[in-house]
Amino acid sequence: DIQMTQSPSSLSASVGDRVTITCQASLDIGNSLIWYQQKPGKAPKLLIYDASTLEAGVPSHFSGSGSGTKFTFTISSLQAEDIATYYCQQYDSVPPTFGGGTKVEIK
Amino acid sequence: QVNLVQSGAELRKPGASVKISCKTSGFAFSNFYMHWVRQAPGQGPEWIGIINPNGGSPSFAQRFQDRVTMTRDTSTATVYMEMSSLRSDDTAVYYCARDRLAGIPAENFHHWGQGTLVTVSS
């Protein structure tokens, strides 16, 4: 199985800050990467697929980049409603696998 | 509007089985692959398996091969997952999820059910 390693596991930032999360795959996955947002008690929500394509209706202050084994998720200006845990997931090969998550909090 | 509604929370003893339902609406049931994903407390999600609503054999993650079955009822647009030989580490929220793309298994979990908490405890 492909291992997905996310960092950091948690971060604290101020409203308006730029936030960056990284995800590393144990094998080359091309651009087959998704980013999800999960709020407490809720199901994950798909934000970005194909590493950098924003899902319809997702605010433009979210973005993703990368290919191969290294990927980045960025919140350009952190909003209070962005408080959540973010997960990456590869879908290049079965089984699809997830990163361990990054919990984003407000400082 | 796509909607996935799962059955309610379950409490089981170790060694027992549990069957969870996921009733879908708002899209052409036969056109989209459906997945089951679980999330243990404080952990990331974990893929369990996939079912083709058009039929054919479901496919599972290797660690669940021997104790998970997935079925579907096209008349009610509902998918089911049954897990047997439950252990305490199967305690998790179980989600059904619809794939993003019609007709192919892309493993992009686009729409999710609300989740079903399964607690395994003696």
Side-chain angles (χ1 to χ4, degrees):
Chain A
D1 298 1
I2 295 177
Q3 305 303 311
M4 305 300 292
T5 304
Q6 255 182 269
S7 61
S9 57
S10 66
L11 65 88
S12 181
S14 300
V15 171
D17 282 355
R18 183 181 185 87
V19 168
T20 299
I21 298 168
T22 63
C23 183
Q24 183 151 355
S26 61
L27 294 173
D28 188 332
I29 60 169
N31 69 338
S32 299
L33 188 96
I34 282 174
W35 290 98
Y36 297 93
Q37 175 192 66
Q38 187 175 32
K39 296 186 176 181
K42 300 293 188 182
K45 175 185 176 182
L46 192 156
L47 299 180
I48 290 170
Y49 61 91
D50 292 347
S52 60
T53 302
L54 207 63
E55 173 61 20
V58 173
S60 60
H61 67 283
F62 294 110
S63 65
S65 64
S67 66
T69 62
K70 291 190 176 181
F71 301 87
T72 300
F73 173 79
T74 300
I75 305 173
S76 61
S77 177
L78 185 67
Q79 307 299 308
E81 58 267 27
D82 300 334
I83 298 314
T85 300
Y86 294 84
Y87 294 96
C88 61
Q89 177 232 321
Q90 69 80 20
Y91 52 96
D92 180 68
S93 66
V94 176
T97 47
F98 293 80
T102 297
K103 187 174 184 179
V104 175
E105 298 175 316
I106 295 287
K107 190 182 295 182
Chain B
Q1 171 188 347
V2 174
N3 211 18
L4 309 177
V5 179
Q6 299 181 221
S7 49
E10 303 275 10
L11 173 63
R12 292 286 185 274
K13 294 188 184 304
S17 298
V18 68
K19 187 173 185 177
I20 304 168
S21 66
C22 171
K23 183 170 177 58
T24 75
S25 61
F27 65 97
F29 179 72
S30 296
N31 287 0
F32 290 87
Y33 285 76
M34 294 293 296
H35 302 264
W36 288 91
V37 177
R38 76 179 186 180
Q39 189 170 26
Q43 304 297 311
E46 178 181 28
W47 183 77
I48 300 172
I50 182 174
I51 184 165
N52 179 350
N54 269 329
S57 298
S59 175
F60 310 110
Q62 189 165 11
R63 63 177 297 193
F64 299 111
Q65 292 274 6
D66 296 335
R67 58 191 191 102
V68 168
T69 57
M70 294 180 185
T71 55
R72 89 253 187 265
D73 182 343
T74 54
S75 67
T76 60
T78 302
V79 292
Y80 300 88
M81 186 208 64
E82 183 169 18
M83 184 176 288
S84 62
S85 303
L86 289 168
R87 307 183 290 257
S88 58
D89 62 357
D90 291 318
T91 294
V93 176
Y94 288 74
Y95 294 100
C96 60
R98 199 206 78 176
D99 218 311
R100 184 173 62 86
L101 300 176
I104 62 170
E107 283 78 42
N108 288 194
F109 310 123
H110 195 215
H111 296 277
W112 297 66
Q114 84 276 19
T116 296
L117 175 63
V118 174
T119 303
V120 183
S121 174
S122 54

